[in-house]
Amino acid sequence: MEYSGGGGGGGGATLSEMYQSARRLLLSARDGVARVERLASAPTSSSYSSAPLVGGGAPGDPAVAEGVRREVAQIQGLCAQMDRLWRSIPAKGQRDLWKRKVEQLSEEVDSLKETLDRHTLRQKKRILEAKERAELFERANGESSHVLRIFDDEAQAMQSARSSSRMLDEAYETGVAILHKYADQRDRLKSAQRKALDVLNTVGLSNSVLKLIERRHRVDKWIAYAGMIITVVVMIAFWRLTH
């Protein structure tokens, strides 16, 4: 059975479709991270001039890294939607299966994001060191202004990527908080409904017990009357026989 989301970014997609989309994005993001690391380990000249570009971005890996960050944010958004959907699956076996799938996917994308963050920190350190070397070189012969412009452009591109990632992370955290709040409200409503049903069942059982006690009391009363009558009749008969 397929379960579909009623709104938001899922556009009515089923849980299976969201999962497949997230897996495809995860594979693409992994390839992007591998490409970023290859560009980072390549010589400076090939990284900035001869390396092929993805999506017509700026030279070097900042454009690739920013694309990977967008894919990571999309996966995290899909995970948030799937986390809401699997909770509404009535069958416990299916619900547990989807819970494990979504949690595993979330762990994988978190690990990928950590790898990308570590790369970003290394690149920032490398850029700062390169700028310091370029400044020293410029003071020595005054001919390194072009190199400085290249590193400034890369630093600005990385700053833009970090800003975009920060905004996407904030939007994702807000969405997750809202979904958790909805889940808590639903659990409280279910708990109140169960308590109300328990009270109604208790009241119905109490009425049945009272009726049973009343019937038993009437039967015991008639048995007592019958016993007294029989006893009187036997005593009268015995008295007549003895006199």
Side-chain angles (χ1 to χ4, degrees):
M1 181 180 292
E2 295 289 333
Y3 298 90
S4 62
T14 64
L15 186 55
S16 297
E17 291 171 347
M18 288 185 184
Y19 182 77
Q20 293 301 325
S21 297
R23 294 300 304 182
R24 287 193 294 270
L25 285 170
L26 184 63
L27 291 175
S28 176
R30 284 175 177 169
D31 292 339
V33 170
R35 175 175 170 77
V36 166
E37 291 177 344
R38 286 196 303 271
L39 290 173
S41 61
T44 303
S45 59
S46 62
S47 296
Y48 287 95
S49 60
S50 62
L53 301 180
V54 176
D61 57 56
V64 181
E66 185 175 5
V68 174
R69 287 190 181 278
R70 285 196 297 267
E71 290 177 334
V72 166
Q74 291 176 15
I75 298 169
Q76 289 175 330
L78 287 171
C79 286
Q81 295 181 53
M82 290 188 291
D83 185 72
R84 174 175 57 85
L85 289 178
W86 71 254
R87 296 174 186 273
S88 63
I89 298 177
K92 186 178 185 300
Q94 289 291 323
R95 188 168 61 247
D96 292 342
L97 175 62
W98 278 109
K99 177 183 178 182
R100 288 193 298 271
K101 285 186 175 182
V102 174
E103 288 177 348
Q104 181 180 2
L105 185 62
S106 298
E107 291 172 359
E108 291 178 9
V109 73
D110 289 342
S111 175
L112 199 63
K113 185 176 183 297
E114 290 175 0
T115 301
L116 192 60
D117 289 339
R118 287 195 298 269
H119 165 77
T120 300
L121 291 176
R122 289 195 302 267
Q123 282 294 91
K124 182 179 180 181
K125 181 178 179 181
R126 185 179 69 85
I127 291 173
L128 290 176
E129 291 173 352
K131 285 186 69 174
E132 291 174 357
R133 289 195 300 269
E135 289 172 356
L136 291 174
F137 183 75
E138 184 180 23
R139 284 196 296 268
N141 56 20
E143 297 178 356
S144 60
S145 59
H146 178 64
V147 177
L148 283 175
R149 283 198 301 273
I150 291 176
F151 285 118
D152 286 339
D153 292 340
E154 181 173 302
Q156 291 176 2
M158 292 189 65
Q159 180 63 33
S160 176
R162 286 195 296 271
S163 300
S164 299
S165 175
R166 185 166 53 252
M167 289 188 292
L168 289 171
D169 288 342
E170 291 173 356
Y172 167 74
E173 291 172 358
T174 301
V176 170
I178 292 173
L179 291 175
H180 285 172
K181 184 178 296 183
Y182 286 154
D184 292 340
Q185 291 177 354
R186 182 191 59 197
D187 292 338
R188 286 196 293 270
L189 289 174
K190 286 185 176 180
S191 177
Q193 184 182 18
R194 285 195 298 268
K195 290 180 179 179
L197 290 174
D198 291 340
V199 171
L200 292 176
N201 291 333
T202 302
V203 171
L205 181 61
S206 300
N207 291 335
S208 299
V209 172
L210 289 174
K211 290 179 181 179
L212 181 61
I213 292 172
E214 289 176 359
R215 286 197 298 270
R216 182 61 182 272
H217 181 68
R218 286 195 298 270
V219 171
D220 291 342
K221 183 171 64 175
W222 286 111
I223 291 174
Y225 289 157
M228 288 188 289
I229 293 172
I230 292 172
T231 301
V232 171
V233 171
V234 170
M235 291 180 64
I236 292 173
F238 179 77
W239 182 82
R240 287 183 177 178
L241 289 174
T242 56
H243 292 80

